[in-house]
Amino acid sequence: TDGSGALCDEWASEHRVQVLHQPNRGVSAARNAAMAQASAPFVTFLDADDVLLPAMGAMPDAMGRADALQGLTARCGCADAPEPPAMTLQPGRDALAAALEDPTRHLHLHGWIFRRELLTERFDEALTLGEDGEWMLRTLSHARMAGQYAAPVYRYTLRMDSAVHAANDAEGKYLQTLQAAQPTLSAMKLPAQAAL
């Protein structure tokens, strides 16, 4: 309703931009449609009210042996990266375990970049809150190596009318997502309590 579709169609005249239009079936359906069409070697996700910061542009070159790499998420665009940013790598399962045990790390999509060939899983379109965390569990369980990149690459906008804040029965929806995550947590012997 804000004209963004027409603006995207204008950008599609540039060969690097591909626009997909579909009925609004939620963020998971949009992400799934985009992944099905992706042809670039690297994929990242950007919510409509957030911003990719300039340091994101260096992440493909920093990937090294990583299948997935997480940069820092900031609440402003003014954070500076150390020169050069530190990077740590670990097996995907270890990265998952560390994220579940460390409240300063997160398993939502903000600030992650992935090798396209890692993205064999699709988002569960029945989940409406925490769906990215459940997808991340399944996706990172296939990663040979995952990394942390100590540079602010993503600016997150906190809005009180966002899907998370405006959801009815948020607790019930998060419990539904945790139930969906149980097979992955069990198969990898990851701590279900940490996921809570």
Side-chain angles (χ1 to χ4, degrees):
T1 58
D2 62 359
S4 55
L7 181 60
C8 289
D9 287 337
E10 284 180 37
W11 289 341
S13 63
E14 185 178 331
H15 74 280
R16 296 178 305 145
V17 178
Q18 182 179 1
V19 178
L20 303 175
H21 293 277
Q22 66 182 25
N24 184 359
R25 298 191 330 263
V27 66
S28 292
R31 290 170 179 157
N32 286 338
M35 283 193 296
Q37 295 296 315
S39 59
F42 302 101
V43 173
T44 191
F45 297 90
L46 176 65
D47 287 354
D49 53 357
D50 297 337
V51 176
L52 295 179
L53 299 175
M56 177 61 89
M59 286 183 73
D61 290 335
M63 291 284 285
R65 297 180 301 134
D67 294 318
L69 190 60
Q70 179 186 32
L72 300 176
T73 298
R75 292 271 169 89
C76 68
C78 54
D80 293 321
E83 290 290 335
M87 191 174 86
T88 57
L89 282 180
Q90 59 190 149
R93 188 213 179 277
D94 294 346
L96 276 174
L100 289 172
E101 294 167 1
D102 180 352
T104 67
R105 295 173 71 175
H106 54 79
L107 284 178
H108 47 71
L109 291 176
H110 307 145
W112 282 91
I113 188 170
F114 306 89
R115 292 190 187 280
R116 181 170 44 90
E117 59 267 21
L118 178 65
L119 305 184
T120 58
E121 299 288 338
R122 291 298 176 251
F123 289 87
D124 185 337
E125 295 181 22
L127 302 177
T128 56
L129 287 180
E131 75 292 330
D132 54 344
E134 189 274 335
W135 178 85
M136 289 289 293
L137 283 172
R138 289 183 284 119
T139 296
L140 288 181
S141 71
H142 303 303
R144 291 165 303 195
M145 300 293 283
Q148 298 286 308
Y149 185 68
V153 300
Y154 192 101
R155 186 177 76 206
Y156 177 77
T157 303
L158 185 61
R159 294 185 305 114
M160 295 316 293
D161 63 342
S162 69
V164 171
H165 290 99
N168 292 324
D169 187 28
E171 294 84 2
K173 290 177 180 177
Y174 277 121
L175 285 173
Q176 179 185 9
T177 299
L178 185 57
Q179 283 181 317
Q182 285 306 309
T184 305
L185 292 166
S186 296
M188 298 190 71
K189 297 183 173 49
L190 290 169
Q193 186 60 35
L196 287 171

